[in-house]
């Protein structure tokens, strides 16, 4: 499994991401006992898990606030050239949900590296799940940015 390194996001990229998100969502997070806030951290992941192009992650929770700071994050694939490659959560004993907030994607899954992949068209309002040793990936196939709310938790 190829996990790309996180890179810093430039001010112009943050402005772009904020404008993309503002068109569809109000990014206020109300975390128990704290004042409402926006994004905690912006990350850029080129060729995420061996995929193509760029994937941005907007972290909504800081380390230590939840069991897993990735428990709730927005993932943005800006163009139809962008994808997240096949990966598994089994080694980390995680479960993951993708909630498609905007855009159209091709969701891919398979039981193991040698299996035939299944492909599904997903769009706004659809939810995908992954648990255990299976593999999944995702590709933006639309003309606009793909916005996904990702919920990842430990089993």
């Amino acid at each position: 499994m190829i996990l790309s390194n996180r890179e810093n996001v430039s001010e112009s990229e943050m402005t772009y991401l904020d404008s993309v998100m503002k068109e569809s969502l109000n990014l206020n997070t109300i975390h128990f006992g704290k004042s409402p806030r926006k994004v905690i951290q912006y990350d850029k992941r080129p060729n995420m898990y061996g995929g193509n192009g760029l994937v941005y992650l907007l972290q909504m929770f800081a380390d230590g606030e939840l069991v897993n700071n990735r428990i709730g994050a927005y993932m943005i694939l800006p163009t139809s050239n962008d994808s997240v490659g096949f990966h598994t959560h089994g080694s980390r004993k995680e479960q993951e949900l993708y909630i498609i907030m905007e855009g159209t994607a091709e969701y891919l899954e398979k039981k193991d590296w040698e299996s035939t992949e299944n492909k599904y068209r997903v769009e706004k309002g659809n939810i995908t799940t992954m648990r255990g040793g299976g593999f999944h990936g995702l590709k933006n196939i639309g003309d606009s940015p793909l916005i996904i709310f990702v919920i990842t938790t430990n089993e």
Side-chain angles (χ1 to χ4, degrees), residues 39-104:
V39 177
I40 293 288
Q41 180 177 323
Y42 296 80
D43 293 318
K44 177 170 48 174
R45 301 276 291 276
N47 306 315
M48 188 172 176
Y49 295 114
N52 294 314
L54 292 175
V55 175
Y56 292 96
L57 296 172
L58 281 59
Q59 304 292 345
M60 304 309 289
F61 300 97
D63 285 338
E65 284 188 336
L66 299 171
V67 172
N68 177 344
N69 77 315
R70 296 182 315 117
I71 205 166
Y74 287 96
M75 184 165 56
I76 302 170
L77 287 74
T79 74
S80 61
N81 295 322
D82 301 318
S83 66
V84 175
F86 274 111
H87 62 283
T88 183
H89 294 270
S91 61
R92 296 186 303 252
K93 303 236 184 268
E94 293 176 336
Q95 298 178 28
E96 188 168 68
L97 288 118
Y98 287 171
I99 303 167
I100 311 301
M101 306 301 292
E102 289 291 333
T104 307

Side-chain angles (χ1 to χ4, degrees), residues 109-155:
E109 65 177 23
K110 57 185 177 176
K111 289 184 178 185
D112 53 48
W113 282 119
E114 293 77 32
S115 300
T116 303
E117 64 185 49
N118 296 314
K119 295 180 183 183
Y120 304 95
R121 179 184 170 96
V122 292
E123 56 192 23
K124 184 177 181 174
N126 293 160
I127 298 172
T128 69
T129 65
M130 178 53 58
R131 179 179 180 188
F135 292 81
H136 69 151
L138 188 76
K139 180 179 182 191
N140 182 351
I141 60 170
D143 295 328
S144 61
L146 176 64
I147 302 172
I148 302 158
F149 188 68
V150 180
I151 301 171
T152 306
T153 190
N154 297 80
E155 290 186 16

